Amino acid sequence: GEDVEQSLFLSVREGDSSVINCTYTDSSSTYLYWYKQEPGAGLQLLTYIFSNMDMKQDQRLTVLLNKKDKHLSLRIADTQTGDSAIYFCAESNGDNGGSQGNLIFGKGTKLSVKP
Amino acid sequence: DTEVTQTPKHLVMGMTNKKSLKCEQHMGHRAMYWYKQKAKKPPELMFVYSYEKLSINESVPSRFSPECPNSSLLNLHLHALQPEDSALYLCASSQDYGYEQYFGPGTRLTVT
């Protein structure tokens, strides 16, 4: 079945770059997402990438997709203490019908930023 | 504007109570979702509404009853819940089913 894997923890120093990695198993995944969740809050959609793209950049965020290896990464440049949160990788098959448009989440990576 | 609102923010209820969670979006989205999230876990999908019709029910117990009165509103009616139902309940919406989802802040539910 579909599965999304992430490492559970990442610790970086303020000002460094953070790289959060994710692997997925469903080769028919159409969209891949990164969500951020701060304590006690909902999920914030950070960015997403369509499967025919290799890279997407949005200010401090860079998403890289290696479709051959089914590997997705999120790079946060100049990481700040406000970036401390849990980051969820998720994939879906878009609107291909049935339940394929459902989001399949990884377990989340807790990013800790030390001053 | 990508805002999804949820009320109440916190809810404490006994096992014999009946309560409702509310979700609202004004982005013209035609798909709305309910998720349940336990501590330190990813969200689990409960229900999907598409064009105001229930399209997916992920085998959720009948003590949870969703309702979509119109395209902007989504309710989750709760009755005879168990302590293990205590969780963060998240609502989300998307332009259409399968498109990127925008989440609300959630309702923290405690069942005593």
Side-chain angles (χ1 to χ4, degrees):
Chain A
E2 303 145 338
D3 198 16
V4 177
E5 298 283 340
Q6 299 177 241
S7 53
L8 295 181
F9 302 99
L10 177 65
S11 181
V12 301
R13 293 226 169 263
E14 192 173 20
D16 289 350
S17 292
S18 307
V19 179
I20 303 172
N21 294 301
C22 170
T23 57
Y24 59 97
T25 56
D26 189 351
S27 57
S28 62
S29 295
T30 309
Y31 296 96
L32 295 131
Y33 303 88
W34 285 105
Y35 283 90
K36 174 185 179 183
Q37 188 174 33
E38 297 183 52
L43 273 68
Q44 176 192 353
L45 177 62
L46 287 178
T47 187
Y48 61 95
I49 190 167
F50 190 56
S51 59
N52 67 355
M53 298 169 67
D54 298 324
M55 186 183 91
K56 182 177 181 181
Q57 187 156 1
D58 183 2
Q59 300 183 343
R60 291 191 299 124
L61 305 179
T62 303
V63 178
L64 294 177
L65 175 60
N66 181 328
K67 199 171 179 184
K68 174 175 168 288
D69 294 338
K70 300 194 190 73
H71 182 265
L72 181 74
S73 67
L74 174 69
R75 179 177 180 268
I76 306 172
D78 187 24
T79 313
Q80 304 297 306
T81 53
D83 295 323
S84 293
I86 296 176
Y87 290 79
F88 289 100
C89 170
E91 58 98 4
S92 81
N93 284 323
D95 58 354
N96 287 332
S99 63
Q100 294 184 66
N102 292 354
L103 288 176
I104 308 298
F105 286 95
K107 289 184 167 54
T109 299
K110 184 173 182 179
L111 175 64
S112 298
V113 183
K114 295 181 171 34
Chain B
D1 181 16
T2 55
E3 190 179 25
V4 176
T5 59
Q6 290 187 243
T7 55
K9 192 170 173 61
H10 300 278
L11 178 62
V12 179
M13 60 185 290
M15 289 189 285
T16 58
N17 291 159
K18 285 185 183 181
K19 296 286 185 183
S20 296
L21 309 185
K22 295 186 186 304
C23 174
E24 192 165 3
Q25 57 86 15
H26 293 289
M27 296 177 278
H29 288 177
R30 304 316 302 256
M32 296 185 78
Y33 311 76
W34 279 116
Y35 289 85
K36 173 183 177 180
Q37 187 180 26
K38 301 285 271 186
K40 300 186 193 307
K41 299 285 188 186
E44 298 172 13
L45 182 65
M46 299 174 73
F47 302 105
V48 180
Y49 272 83
S50 181
Y51 290 82
E52 301 165 46
K53 291 191 189 322
L54 182 64
S55 61
I56 294 176
N57 176 341
E58 292 286 346
S59 303
V60 179
S62 60
R63 56 185 185 270
F64 295 91
S65 175
E67 179 197 17
C68 189
N70 61 55
S71 60
S72 300
L73 290 174
L74 187 65
N75 297 323
L76 186 62
H77 303 297
L78 314 172
H79 173 54
L81 294 195
Q82 303 296 310
E84 59 265 28
D85 296 322
S86 298
L88 181 68
Y89 287 84
L90 294 163
C91 173
S93 72
S94 63
Q95 177 185 333
D96 205 335
Y97 176 67
Y99 284 71
E100 69 275 12
Q101 294 180 30
Y102 296 90
F103 284 77
T107 294
R108 175 72 59 190
L109 174 68
T110 303
V111 181
T112 60

